[in-house]
Structure formats: C-alpha cells, structure tokens
Amino acid sequence: KAGVTQTPRYLIKTRGQQVTLSCSPISGHRSVSWYQQTPGQGLQFLFEYFSETQRNKGNFPGRFSGRQFSNSRSEMNVSTLELGDSALYLCASSKGLAGSETQYFGPGTRLLVL
Amino acid sequence: EDQVTQSPEALRLQEGESSSLNCSYTVSGLRGLFWYRQDPGKGPEFLFTLYSAGEEKEKERLKATLTKKESFLHITAPKPEDSATYLCAVQAGWEYGNKLVFGAGTILRVKS
C-alpha cells in the first residue's frame, strides 16, 4: 500500500512570494493534517481537513491556508512568505476523525525562503 | 495548554547498551500517546500508540509503556540502525479531530 506522498520535495522561494504544497494521503484515508517542523519550535500543528472541510486549526497566521479535494488530496498555501517560514512541511493522513487515530506522515516538503 | 516534555534531549549508547527514553505529559483528557521515529530529512515513522495507563507494546528491540503522567520507550540491546530522533506526541482534550501535540524529541546515537 502506497504511503503518503508530498510534492514537491524541495522548494526555494524569496520573501513576499507565495507557495503551494501538495499532499496525497494513503488510499482510503479521508483525514489530512499539516504540520510545520523547525529546529527551534519542533513539530507544530497547522490544520486538519476531513471531507473537504477544515476541522481544526493551529495557532498560525492567516497567511497559512489549505484545502482538501473530493479525492482527499490536500494542498496548503503560504502567501507573502517570510524568512521564518523556512521549514519542513509535513502532511499526515488518517482514516477518519475518531480523535484517537494514528496519523501516518509523508516525507515532507523542505521550503527555503531567501 | 497541553504540554509534552521529552528527556534526555540526546543520548549516546554503545551497541548492546540498553536504556530508556522518557516522555512526560500534562494534558486534559488523554486520548492517545504516540511514538514516532524520525531519520534525518525524512518524515516521522509511526512506532506505537498507547491509550491507557498500564498499557505496553513491543516491536523488535523497542517497548513502550504508559502511566498516568508519562511514557517510556525502552530500547533493549540497541544497534547502530536504531540511531534516529524519537518523537512522542499526544492527542488530548475534547476538540474534534486527530491533532497531535509533539515533544521536542530525543536524539539517539548508537555506536558500534
């Protein structure tokens, strides 16, 4: 069974630009979550989507947004990039929204903002 | 606010030298505690889920245990390939969904 896939794997952008990251969950999984990982803050929750609706949101500014499509694939967008947005962005999928379900992570997209 | 603290920050072991990693948590309403392993440049790899105090799970050289305030990841006779960052995370509270709150991780190095 294929795991979570994320594209692209690496990105270099400049301040002020915007970026879109893509995530395909494990087949049959309907919940997709996004996390940001940095050396200083560790892994932090961005948001979770289920059935094309955002179900939960972390403490990030509105520049961070996402969406989910009917096939459960998800995208996240960061507008007006700042240097501090440089991070590894991880997508995780789980079967549903039961609240105690295991999340399986993809390889991540490494974003560098110059 | 839910908090997860892992110790030690880093651990160096000789091959075959058993040890334990600690994850202490302060949450309201624990729904699940998760252990992940992360290799450099990769996403976290799922290891275990624990749901209630007293629960234990094993996989090869790893054994995870849970009490009401902390979890331990015991590593028996580690090998160099066990070198990685081990992450502990909790699902807690009564929010809808699977949000994970992570600890900072323990970096494990096993030397042959």
Side-chain angles (χ1 to χ4, degrees), chain A residues 9-10 37 88 90 106-110, chain B residues 38-44:
Chain A
R9 294 294 312 280
Y10 304 93
Q37 186 174 29
L88 180 67
L90 292 158
T109 293
R110 185 162 296 282
Chain B
Q38 186 174 27
D39 293 300
K42 296 188 176 182

Side-chain angles (χ1 to χ4, degrees), chain A residues 18-86:
Chain A
Q18 74 166 12
V19 66
T20 299
L21 312 182
S22 181
C23 170
S24 292
I26 292 171
S27 178
H29 284 196
R30 297 175 61 197
S31 172
V32 173
S33 295
W34 289 89
Y35 293 82
Q36 181 195 66
Q37 186 174 29
T38 59
Q41 299 297 317
L43 268 151
Q44 292 186 292
F45 173 78
L46 281 158
F47 28 66
E48 180 174 21
Y49 284 86
F50 179 82
S51 290
E52 302 176 62
T53 302
Q54 187 180 94
R55 303 292 180 157
N56 205 343
K57 189 177 190 304
N59 190 23
F60 279 83
R63 300 185 297 107
F64 292 82
S65 63
R67 60 177 176 169
Q68 187 181 34
F69 302 95
S70 58
N71 61 359
S72 295
R73 192 175 67 84
S74 177
E75 289 181 347
M76 70 162 279
N77 183 275
V78 188
S79 62
T80 319
L81 284 166
E82 300 177 0
L83 295 179
D85 296 333
S86 295

Side-chain angles (χ1 to χ4, degrees), chain B residues 13-87:
Chain B
L13 299 174
Q14 286 294 128
E15 185 173 3
E17 179 187 2
S18 302
S19 188
S20 297
L21 313 182
N22 178 262
C23 170
S24 62
Y25 59 91
T26 306
V27 301
S28 52
L30 180 72
R31 290 184 273 131
L33 185 140
F34 300 79
W35 282 98
Y36 289 87
R37 166 197 171 123
Q38 186 174 27
D39 293 300
K42 296 188 176 182
E45 175 190 345
F46 170 70
L47 294 174
F48 302 109
T49 308
L50 302 167
Y51 293 107
S52 56
E55 192 173 357
E56 299 183 351
K57 289 195 177 170
E58 283 188 72
K59 178 182 177 182
E60 296 180 353
R61 295 177 294 283
L62 300 176
K63 178 180 177 180
T65 62
L66 181 65
T67 72
K68 288 188 176 179
K69 293 188 176 181
E70 58 190 349
S71 176
F72 291 94
L73 184 65
H74 306 279
I75 303 177
T76 303
K79 298 183 177 182
E81 53 262 42
D82 294 322
S83 297
T85 296
Y86 289 84
L87 296 163

